[in-house]
């Protein structure tokens, strides 16, 4: 048998020094205090934040007349009526492929933007970025800018510190509650939910989801911040496959900035780069990274480092653009002393994404414009498969579901063909139908009505197919279904 060797520390059992503990593989989060940036990109981010938050909070309150009995809400996912409304668009459960198409279009649009401008989605319009930006603005209002916030956190607890912290967290919770509450309004009629919220006249699920979204917004935007982008979001790991060296990214132009270092006014700019190591780009970064270290997974391309660097370059009377939107090939070419290539908007991947988007959008538009406004579904009775009546005739039962996708009630003409001497009746209606004598059935506005149909043929019929046709009496629009007819073997 083999021999087992035990590795024992020499000092074990001899009163020697304790061996060092194993290295902790978990790195504690370092608090980031982003400084307020000033410049064009910061103004763009303010504008995008105002527009996106305005749309999110206001959209459920926009009214849209949809007729009697239907909530007059422009954007509504109405589970009770099993429909999704978006202004003039109405999507039924049978139209779920349109939702899939919209998601595919959104994904391709994100791919296209990434191949052109890098992670511009992350830096400007991602919900995590927008709400984190808003929460940092609130934090800055209560605790001051970067240096003041750091001093406050290093101070012992006092009345002033407690008041500032409580004020900040109170406003954070109010914003988080507005965020969770606004989301609920997209699933229920907004005025109805608002009136019944404080009286308990809303579904329990509304309180649950509002509470969950309140807490997630509070913790993700207030506490976790950059950790969501770095550790939770899969997009930083995916986007590397969607971009290339020709894409515009927020880039430190090392060809111009290196070698870098502090500089006195009396020193010459010869034999050195324009970067003076002021770290302003690091101080304004909400992710706490140094853009001069090259491409990094944490960088969300918010471009605040561009504003900070341009401001510093102006102060020291140097050209702006040391940090800018640029391509890898252009920076590398300038560093080698060659002429950088022009930015290529049209590349194989951008053309592919654009063509796919146009094709899918055209297909969806055509499908929506030609979409049927009536739908008929037929379900045959499974047990018993057929019934033999006292006169010897064979009878099969069916359930006919009629769907009316318009806001006016309609009359549907139901005819059945496929077997000789066929007759049929609709439970609740006195008269009997035949291939030459259809039956008219009413369907409510935006209605889904079900009818029981009994089809009979004389004795001797075997298993065959019948055709059930439903036609709108006024417009002539029709839908056809086939169903089996069973009889004795």
């Amino acid at each position: 048998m083999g021999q087992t060797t035990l590795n024992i520390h020499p000092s074990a059992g001899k009163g020697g020094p304790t061996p060092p503990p194993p290295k902790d593989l978990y790195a504690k989060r370092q608090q980031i205090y982003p400084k307020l940036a000033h410049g064009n990109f910061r103004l763009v981010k303010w504008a995008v934040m105002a527009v996106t938050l305005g749309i999110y909070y206001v959209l459920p309150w926009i009214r849209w007349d949809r007729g009697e009995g239907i909530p007059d809400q422009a954007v509504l996912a109405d589970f009770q009526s099993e429909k999704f409304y978006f202004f003039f668009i109405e999507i039924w459960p049978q139209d779920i492929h349109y939702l899939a198409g919209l998601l595919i279009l959104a994904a391709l649009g994100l791919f296209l933007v990434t191949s052109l401008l890098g992670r511009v989605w992350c830096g400007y319009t991602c919900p995590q970025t927008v709400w984190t930006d808003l929460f940092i603005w609130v934090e800055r209002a209560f605790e001051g800018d970067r240096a003041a916030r750091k001093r406050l956190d290093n101070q012992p607890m006092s009345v002033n510190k407690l008041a500032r912290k409580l004020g900040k967290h109170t406003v954070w919770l109010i914003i988080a509650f507005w965020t969770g509450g606004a989301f609920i309004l997209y699933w229920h009629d907004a005025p109805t939910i608002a009136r019944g919220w404080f009286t308990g006249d809303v579904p329990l699920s509304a309180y649950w989801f509002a509470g969950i979204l309140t807490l997630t917004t509070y913790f993700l935007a207030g506490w976790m911040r950059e950790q969501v982008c770095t550790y939770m979001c899969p997009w930083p790991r995916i986007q590397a496959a969607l971009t290339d060296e020709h894409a515009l990214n927020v880039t430190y132009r090392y060809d111009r900035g290196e070698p870098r270092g502090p500089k006195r006014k009396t020193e010459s700019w010869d034999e050195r780069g324009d970067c003076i190591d002021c770290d302003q780009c690091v101080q304004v970064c909400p992710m706490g990274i140094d853009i001069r270290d090259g491409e990094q997974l944490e960088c969300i391309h918010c471009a605040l480092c561009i504003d900070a660097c341009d401001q510093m370059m102006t102060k020291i009377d140097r050209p702006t653009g040391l940090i800018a939107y640029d391509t890898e090939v252009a920076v590398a070419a300038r560093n080698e002393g060659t002429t950088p290539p022009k930015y290529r908007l049209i590349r194989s991947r951008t053309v592919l994404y654009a063509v796919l988007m146009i094709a899918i959008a055209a297909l969806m538009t055509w499908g929506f414009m030609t979409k049927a406004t009536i739908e008929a579904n037929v379900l045959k009775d499974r047990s018993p498969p057929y019934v033999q009546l006292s006169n010897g005739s064979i009878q099969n039962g069916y359930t006919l579901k009629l769907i009316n996708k318009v806001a006016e009630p309609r009359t549907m003409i139901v005819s059945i063909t496929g077997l000789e001497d066929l007759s049929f009746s609709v439970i609740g209606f006195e008269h009997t139908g035949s291939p030459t004598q259809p039956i008219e059935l009413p369907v409510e506005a935006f209605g889904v009505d079900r009818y029981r149909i009994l089809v009979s043929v004389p004795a001797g019929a075997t298993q065959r197919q019948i055709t059930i046709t439903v036609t709108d009496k006024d417009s002539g629009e029709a839908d056809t279904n086939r169903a089996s007819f069973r009889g004795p073997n």
Side-chain angles (χ1 to χ4, degrees):
M1 295 178 64
Q3 211 172 16
T4 302
T5 303
L6 298 178
N7 294 322
I8 302 177
H9 195 274
S11 62
K14 299 181 180 180
T18 304
K23 184 178 180 181
D24 190 1
L25 298 180
Y26 173 76
K28 185 178 179 180
R29 176 189 179 229
Q30 299 295 320
Q31 182 66 34
I32 298 175
Y33 300 90
K35 182 180 178 181
L36 177 62
H38 301 276
N40 294 330
F41 291 102
R42 177 66 267 183
L43 291 177
V44 171
K45 283 178 65 66
W46 288 134
V48 171
M49 182 176 72
V51 171
T52 53
L53 290 178
I55 292 174
Y56 176 75
Y57 291 122
V58 173
L59 196 57
W61 298 96
I62 299 176
R63 301 292 92 189
W64 191 273
D65 185 16
R66 301 193 184 279
E68 186 177 356
I70 303 174
D72 294 332
Q73 188 159 316
V75 180
L76 176 65
D78 190 355
F79 271 47
Q80 185 174 359
S81 63
E82 299 180 345
K83 287 183 282 293
F84 173 72
Y85 302 105
F86 186 82
F87 293 93
F88 63 92
I89 299 175
E90 295 161 359
I91 297 180
W92 291 60
Q94 296 83 359
D95 302 326
I96 192 65
H97 52 278
Y98 289 107
L99 179 58
L102 288 175
L103 293 176
I104 294 173
L105 276 179
L108 289 173
L110 188 56
F111 296 168
L112 178 60
V113 170
T114 301
S115 64
L116 293 174
L117 299 172
R119 291 175 63 186
V120 68
W121 157 264
C122 299
Y124 293 89
T125 54
C126 174
Q128 173 65 18
T129 298
V130 172
W131 265 281
T132 298
D133 227 9
L134 178 61
F135 274 45
I136 292 176
W137 177 80
V138 172
E139 184 176 64
R140 191 177 291 117
F142 278 93
E143 300 180 4
D145 206 358
R146 172 184 167 86
R149 295 202 303 277
K150 294 181 71 173
R151 286 196 303 268
L152 185 68
D153 283 353
N154 292 329
Q155 292 174 3
M157 185 57 68
S158 63
V159 174
N160 175 62
K161 181 175 180 178
L162 180 62
R164 291 178 182 274
K165 294 291 184 181
L166 285 177
K168 177 185 73 173
H169 288 282
T170 300
V171 176
W172 279 2
L173 284 171
I174 292 173
I175 296 173
F177 172 72
W178 283 346
T179 303
F183 184 80
I184 300 302
L185 301 181
Y186 285 92
W187 307 87
H188 304 275
D189 183 49
T192 303
I193 288 292
R195 285 192 300 266
W197 182 265
F198 297 101
T199 60
D201 296 330
V202 299
L204 183 61
S205 59
Y207 293 106
W208 274 105
F209 278 99
I212 292 172
L213 290 168
T214 297
L215 292 178
T216 53
T217 303
Y218 172 73
F219 283 105
L220 294 182
W223 290 91
M224 299 181 69
R225 294 185 180 177
E226 78 287 345
Q227 296 181 98
V228 176
C229 304
T230 304
Y231 302 110
M232 295 176 63
C233 180
W235 185 240
R237 293 151 182 84
I238 297 173
Q239 62 99 25
L242 304 173
T243 186
D244 54 29
E245 66 275 11
H246 298 282
L248 284 175
N249 291 292
V250 177
T251 305
Y252 167 65
R253 290 171 166 167
Y254 58 84
D255 59 296
R256 175 185 150 190
E258 301 296 327
R260 65 175 183 258
K263 178 187 177 298
R264 296 179 180 178
K265 291 184 178 180
T266 56
E267 293 178 347
S268 171
W269 288 101
D270 297 335
E271 304 300 327
R272 60 156 294 141
D274 284 351
C275 179
I276 61 174
D277 238 351
C278 63
D279 280 348
Q280 291 298 305
C281 56
V282 180
Q283 295 181 24
V284 300
C285 180
M287 303 298 293
I289 64 172
D290 191 340
I291 190 65
R292 297 169 297 179
D293 292 339
E295 289 189 12
Q296 297 162 76
L297 178 144
E298 297 86 353
C299 181
I300 60 173
H301 291 197
C302 63
L304 295 180
C305 53
I306 297 179
D307 285 340
C309 186
D310 284 351
Q311 191 175 25
M312 184 56 64
M313 290 295 103
T314 302
K315 288 182 179 180
I316 64 174
D317 199 25
R318 298 298 292 174
T320 59
L322 178 59
I323 301 176
Y325 273 98
D326 206 346
T327 65
E328 292 181 25
V329 292
V331 175
R334 286 194 299 269
N335 190 57
E336 295 173 0
T338 60
T339 303
K342 292 183 179 180
Y343 175 64
R344 292 194 298 141
L345 181 67
I346 300 177
R347 309 193 302 276
S348 57
R349 67 176 65 231
T350 60
V351 171
L352 175 62
Y353 297 148
V355 169
L356 288 175
M357 289 182 65
I358 293 173
I360 294 174
L363 184 63
M364 289 178 59
T365 302
W366 175 81
F368 186 80
M369 297 299 294
T370 59
K371 181 175 71 168
T373 61
I374 65 171
E375 186 171 332
N377 294 314
V378 178
L379 179 64
K380 187 186 182 305
D381 292 349
R382 293 187 176 182
S383 180
Y386 68 92
V387 173
Q388 189 161 13
L389 303 180
S390 58
N391 61 1
S393 61
I394 307 301
Q395 177 179 280
N396 282 203
Y398 303 86
T399 299
L400 174 63
K401 183 172 73 171
L402 299 178
I403 302 174
N404 178 17
K405 298 182 179 181
V406 298
E408 298 83 21
R410 306 163 83 172
T411 299
M412 305 294 185
I413 301 174
V414 180
S415 62
I416 302 179
T417 59
L419 291 173
E420 295 181 1
D421 300 325
L422 173 151
S423 65
F424 67 95
S425 61
V426 179
I427 296 179
F429 291 77
E430 296 181 357
H431 53 282
T432 301
S434 66
T436 59
Q437 184 65 38
I439 295 178
E440 296 183 359
L441 300 178
V443 184
E444 297 179 356
F446 288 125
V448 179
D449 295 339
R450 290 172 174 83
Y451 293 96
R452 285 281 296 150
I453 297 180
L454 303 177
V455 180
S456 301
V457 297
T462 57
Q463 180 173 340
R464 293 182 61 183
Q465 291 282 330
I466 62 172
T467 301
I468 301 177
T469 303
V470 177
T471 307
D472 181 7
K473 184 177 181 180
D474 296 326
S475 67
E477 184 180 354
D479 190 16
T480 300
N481 280 257
R482 294 184 181 276
S484 64
F485 186 91
R486 298 291 183 90
N489 292 329

